[in-house]
Amino acid sequence: MTRKQTARPASALHLGVDAGNSKTAALVSTASGEVVGAGRSGCGDIYGAPAPEVAVSEVLAAVRAALAQAGADLRAVKSAAFRLAGVDWPEDQGYWDTALTRHCPGVLTRRSILNDGYAAIRCGDTGGVGISVTGGTSGAIAARGPGGELWDMGWWGQHGMGATGLANEAFRTVFLAELGLRPPTALTEALLTHYGVATVTALNHWLTRRQDRARGPERNSCARVVTAVAAAGDPAAVEIVRAQGRHLAEYAGVAARRTGLTRAGGPVSVVLSGSVLMAEGSPVAEALLAELPARVPGAVPRRGSLPPVAGALLDALAEGGVALADPVVADAVLEKVTGSLPPREFLAT
């Protein structure tokens, strides 16, 4: 993305950050919602990076790139919303708070730090109430209730989700089929072809050997293969994607109950995001949508038209005093944000 850099007045900008394992994205906007800077870097998850400080460096790199594009520096940021994978326990939030204070002394003082699952909620309801269900590299689910109650899945998730879950279940199925403990499956030939190996033994060896084993992105790269095989009707692949959709719906139900969304009655915004759920014709999304009404009464599914980092930016705007609960204000801000986002490929995983 290229944009002419222009000087911005101090205390005029708002910062939204969405950090995951695949990438970290940052957006900077004026109070009107006009995006004037965007930055992108690597893994911002303190659990997923080689070391926590590496994740901090990546997040700050994205922030500084966005501000540089805006022709501003950290002193110009009025409010910031950090939505970070790996903020799963109070000490994780504390780690980030300490790190940001150390690296950015005297600036970014008006900031919130939450799990990245919260990023997309305002992409469905600008008032910030509802559920976000993300299926990306992994799964993330978060909710904000009508009284401001918060709940996110974090380490409560006991099922593999997202691309990692699809890949791991596919490997398990293929290996068990090779041992004669499961029926033959079209996943076997599909995975061998995808990875360019001749046998299941060679695939298992590459995934598990002590040296030069497959890295996370390489392992997860077969997720689209799994969904394609499921779409073609292979029973084993169909069960994998249906199970993931069912589990995502189950955890969304927990989120609704824990935040009072089911007690409130009425419609409940449920925003879907992430590469697995947003892929065209995603069978995981279809399975999730089939299960959702029974798990979240009143659910109104929304396939996010805005990227999650835009939701983080909306959080920053709301926390900075922009009245997004006012429909007139919210509509004007959304129009500005949508019309000034960086190209889609800039934010693609």
XYZ file of all heavy atoms in Angstrom, residues 256-305:
345
model
N -22.036 -16.662 24.574
C -23.324 -15.966 24.723
C -23.839 -16.067 26.146
O -24.336 -15.083 26.724
C -24.334 -16.548 23.733
N -23.722 -17.257 26.728
C -24.222 -17.447 28.098
C -23.371 -16.689 29.115
O -23.895 -16.073 30.045
C -24.267 -18.937 28.442
C -25.285 -19.725 27.634
C -25.470 -21.117 28.185
N -24.269 -21.942 28.088
C -23.928 -22.649 27.020
N -24.686 -22.613 25.922
N -22.840 -23.398 27.020
N -22.067 -16.729 28.946
C -21.179 -16.111 29.924
C -21.271 -14.586 29.928
O -20.874 -13.946 30.908
C -19.732 -16.541 29.650
C -19.451 -18.017 29.913
C -19.573 -18.355 31.398
N -19.362 -19.758 31.694
C -18.183 -20.283 32.042
N -17.107 -19.506 32.123
N -18.070 -21.567 32.295
N -21.734 -13.992 28.845
C -21.787 -12.529 28.755
C -23.202 -11.979 28.830
O -23.420 -10.778 28.640
C -21.131 -12.042 27.451
O -21.769 -12.668 26.332
C -19.646 -12.363 27.432
N -24.176 -12.828 29.100
C -25.541 -12.368 29.263
C -26.275 -12.095 27.970
O -27.384 -11.542 27.990
N -25.715 -12.495 26.838
C -26.375 -12.237 25.559
C -27.652 -13.060 25.405
O -28.618 -12.606 24.783
C -25.412 -12.526 24.407
C -24.316 -11.480 24.208
C -23.205 -12.025 23.324
C -24.889 -10.204 23.609
N -27.675 -14.261 25.960
C -28.881 -15.081 25.850
C -29.976 -14.583 26.793
O -31.162 -14.692 26.481
C -28.560 -16.555 26.150
O -27.865 -16.643 27.403
C -27.683 -17.149 25.061
N -29.583 -14.013 27.934
C -30.575 -13.484 28.874
C -31.243 -12.226 28.346
O -32.396 -11.946 28.653
C -29.913 -13.166 30.219
C -29.383 -14.372 30.974
C -29.064 -14.020 32.410
N -28.118 -12.910 32.507
C -26.796 -13.056 32.497
N -26.262 -14.264 32.375
N -26.008 -12.001 32.619
N -30.499 -11.477 27.537
C -31.020 -10.201 27.046
C -32.166 -10.390 26.070
O -33.030 -9.530 25.931
C -29.892 -9.404 26.383
N -32.214 -11.532 25.394
C -33.239 -11.756 24.386
C -32.956 -10.900 23.163
O -32.056 -10.067 23.147
N -33.723 -11.120 22.113
C -33.523 -10.332 20.904
C -32.371 -10.851 20.079
O -31.745 -11.873 20.389
N -32.042 -10.154 18.982
C -30.992 -10.612 18.074
C -29.607 -10.521 18.706
O -29.337 -9.640 19.518
C -31.120 -9.662 16.877
C -31.766 -8.436 17.431
C -32.678 -8.897 18.518
N -28.746 -11.452 18.320
C -27.366 -11.476 18.789
C -26.452 -11.483 17.565
O -26.456 -12.429 16.778
C -27.070 -12.722 19.656
C -25.607 -12.730 20.092
C -27.994 -12.763 20.871
N -25.682 -10.425 17.403
C -24.744 -10.347 16.286
C -23.629 -11.375 16.466
O -22.993 -11.439 17.520
C -24.142 -8.941 16.211
O -23.107 -8.878 15.247
N -23.399 -12.194 15.440
C -22.308 -13.172 15.455
C -21.485 -12.946 14.189
O -21.937 -13.240 13.084
C -22.827 -14.622 15.495
C -21.655 -15.600 15.543
C -23.738 -14.838 16.697
N -20.299 -12.410 14.355
C -19.441 -12.064 13.221
C -18.483 -13.204 12.931
O -17.762 -13.661 13.818
C -18.641 -10.776 13.499
C -17.771 -10.420 12.290
C -19.583 -9.639 13.835
N -18.467 -13.662 11.691
C -17.532 -14.685 11.248
C -16.354 -14.013 10.558
O -16.538 -13.092 9.745
C -18.198 -15.646 10.262
C -19.043 -16.803 10.820
C -20.167 -16.289 11.699
C -19.595 -17.651 9.683
N -15.159 -14.461 10.874
C -13.973 -13.928 10.222
C -12.889 -14.996 10.196
O -13.033 -16.062 10.781
C -13.467 -12.662 10.938
O -13.034 -12.969 12.249
N -11.799 -14.697 9.525
C -10.687 -15.641 9.412
C -10.715 -16.391 8.102
O -11.772 -16.609 7.506
N -9.553 -16.796 7.637
C -9.414 -17.391 6.303
C -10.235 -18.663 6.129
O -10.779 -18.913 5.049
C -7.941 -17.685 6.019
O -7.383 -18.521 7.028
N -10.363 -19.486 7.171
C -11.103 -20.740 7.049
C -12.597 -20.473 6.881
O -13.263 -21.101 6.047
C -10.844 -21.640 8.275
C -11.812 -22.824 8.298
C -9.402 -22.144 8.268
N -13.125 -19.539 7.655
C -14.565 -19.262 7.600
C -14.942 -18.332 6.450
O -16.085 -18.367 5.980
C -15.029 -18.648 8.926
C -14.942 -19.564 10.145
C -15.382 -18.823 11.406
C -15.771 -20.819 9.957
N -14.005 -17.516 5.994
C -14.324 -16.551 4.951
C -14.040 -17.065 3.550
O -14.379 -16.403 2.567
C -13.541 -15.256 5.184
C -13.919 -14.543 6.469
S -15.685 -14.150 6.574
C -15.796 -12.875 5.319
N -13.426 -18.233 3.423
C -13.163 -18.801 2.106
C -14.482 -19.042 1.375
O -15.478 -19.453 1.979
C -12.386 -20.106 2.236
N -14.488 -18.789 0.086
C -15.711 -18.961 -0.698
C -16.202 -20.407 -0.608
O -15.452 -21.353 -0.843
C -15.460 -18.586 -2.155
C -16.699 -18.610 -3.022
C -16.454 -18.107 -4.428
O -15.323 -17.656 -4.714
O -17.398 -18.176 -5.243
N -17.473 -20.563 -0.266
C -18.053 -21.901 -0.174
C -17.518 -22.726 0.976
O -17.601 -23.961 0.944
N -17.004 -22.088 2.025
C -16.384 -22.807 3.139
C -17.353 -23.805 3.771
O -18.394 -23.422 4.329
C -15.928 -21.822 4.219
O -15.609 -22.498 5.416
N -17.027 -25.105 3.748
C -17.908 -26.081 4.403
C -17.871 -25.967 5.922
O -18.826 -26.361 6.595
C -17.352 -27.430 3.925
C -15.925 -27.167 3.581
C -15.881 -25.756 3.072
N -16.775 -25.414 6.471
C -16.726 -25.197 7.920
C -17.742 -24.124 8.305
O -18.480 -24.264 9.286
C -15.313 -24.797 8.378
C -15.301 -24.550 9.887
C -14.303 -25.873 8.017
N -17.786 -23.040 7.524
C -18.764 -21.985 7.786
C -20.185 -22.523 7.648
O -21.062 -22.201 8.460
C -18.541 -20.815 6.834
N -20.422 -23.353 6.645
C -21.752 -23.934 6.461
C -22.149 -24.775 7.673
O -23.297 -24.706 8.151
C -21.775 -24.790 5.197
C -21.663 -23.989 3.904
C -21.621 -24.877 2.682
O -21.788 -26.115 2.840
O -21.410 -24.355 1.566
N -21.209 -25.563 8.170
C -21.497 -26.398 9.344
C -21.750 -25.539 10.575
O -22.658 -25.822 11.380
C -20.334 -27.349 9.592
N -20.961 -24.482 10.740
C -21.160 -23.565 11.870
C -22.542 -22.916 11.800
O -23.270 -22.877 12.805
C -20.070 -22.494 11.838
C -20.284 -21.246 12.700
C -20.380 -21.606 14.173
C -19.163 -20.245 12.467
N -22.908 -22.423 10.627
C -24.199 -21.737 10.482
C -25.372 -22.684 10.707
O -26.424 -22.275 11.200
C -24.286 -21.100 9.098
C -23.297 -19.947 8.855
C -23.391 -19.468 7.413
C -23.547 -18.799 9.819
N -25.194 -23.967 10.359
C -26.261 -24.945 10.585
C -26.470 -25.205 12.071
O -27.599 -25.447 12.524
C -25.924 -26.245 9.859
N -25.390 -25.145 12.856
C -25.463 -25.438 14.290
C -25.789 -24.216 15.134
O -26.287 -24.337 16.258
C -24.118 -26.005 14.763
C -23.756 -27.356 14.190
C -24.382 -28.491 14.988
O -24.926 -28.229 16.085
O -24.325 -29.637 14.514
N -25.522 -23.039 14.614
C -25.575 -21.821 15.423
C -26.942 -21.527 16.050
O -27.004 -21.167 17.235
C -25.105 -20.636 14.575
C -24.654 -19.380 15.317
C -23.548 -19.694 16.319
C -24.184 -18.329 14.313
N -28.057 -21.654 15.330
C -29.344 -21.292 15.946
C -29.651 -22.059 17.226
O -30.246 -21.503 18.156
C -30.356 -21.613 14.840
C -29.579 -21.508 13.565
C -28.220 -22.017 13.910
N -29.255 -23.323 17.275
C -29.521 -24.123 18.468
C -28.606 -23.737 19.630
O -28.969 -23.923 20.800
C -29.350 -25.610 18.150
N -27.433 -23.193 19.316
C -26.454 -22.867 20.358
C -26.592 -21.422 20.841
O -26.305 -21.127 22.006
C -25.040 -23.088 19.821
C -24.800 -24.453 19.197
C -24.838 -25.559 20.218
N -24.613 -26.866 19.580
C -24.560 -28.006 20.245
N -24.729 -28.020 21.555
N -24.355 -29.152 19.604
N -26.966 -20.530 19.924
C -27.096 -19.103 20.256
C -28.475 -18.635 19.802
O -28.646 -18.202 18.657
C -26.001 -18.257 19.593
C -26.134 -16.786 20.015
C -24.618 -18.779 19.938
N -29.494 -18.721 20.656
C -30.825 -18.253 20.266
C -30.778 -16.784 19.837
O -30.170 -15.954 20.500
C -31.650 -18.431 21.550
C -30.917 -19.500 22.314
C -29.467 -19.295 22.013
N -31.423 -16.495 18.715
C -31.441 -15.126 18.215
C -30.212 -14.734 17.425
O -30.042 -13.555 17.072
N -29.341 -15.707 17.130
C -28.103 -15.390 16.412
C -28.394 -14.781 15.048
O -29.235 -15.277 14.297
C -27.257 -16.653 16.236
N -27.679 -13.701 14.746
C -27.737 -13.072 13.428
C -26.326 -13.151 12.849
O -25.478 -12.321 13.161
C -28.208 -11.612 13.510
C -28.238 -10.984 12.117
C -29.567 -11.515 14.178
N -26.058 -14.167 12.036
C -24.695 -14.329 11.508
C -24.344 -13.216 10.529
O -25.165 -12.789 9.719
C -24.750 -15.684 10.801
C -26.010 -16.346 11.281
C -26.951 -15.236 11.605
N -23.110 -12.763 10.622
C -22.608 -11.744 9.714
C -21.218 -12.167 9.271
O -20.333 -12.331 10.106
C -22.531 -10.372 10.401
C -23.817 -9.952 11.105
C -23.580 -8.650 11.865
N -24.673 -8.334 12.771
C -25.747 -7.641 12.453
N -25.876 -7.184 11.205
N -26.688 -7.378 13.334
N -21.041 -12.350 7.973
C -19.712 -12.665 7.462
C -19.004 -11.334 7.278
O -19.369 -10.519 6.444
C -19.806 -13.456 6.174
C -20.601 -14.737 6.356
C -20.531 -15.651 5.180
N -19.303 -16.422 5.179
C -19.127 -17.531 4.467
N -20.094 -17.990 3.713
N -17.990 -18.176 4.511
N -18.001 -11.099 8.109
C -17.376 -9.788 8.208
C -16.976 -9.177 6.874
O -16.169 -9.746 6.145
N -17.562 -8.044 6.544
C -17.171 -7.329 5.336
C -15.941 -6.477 5.591
O -15.269 -6.034 4.655
C -18.329 -6.448 4.848
O -18.719 -5.527 5.855
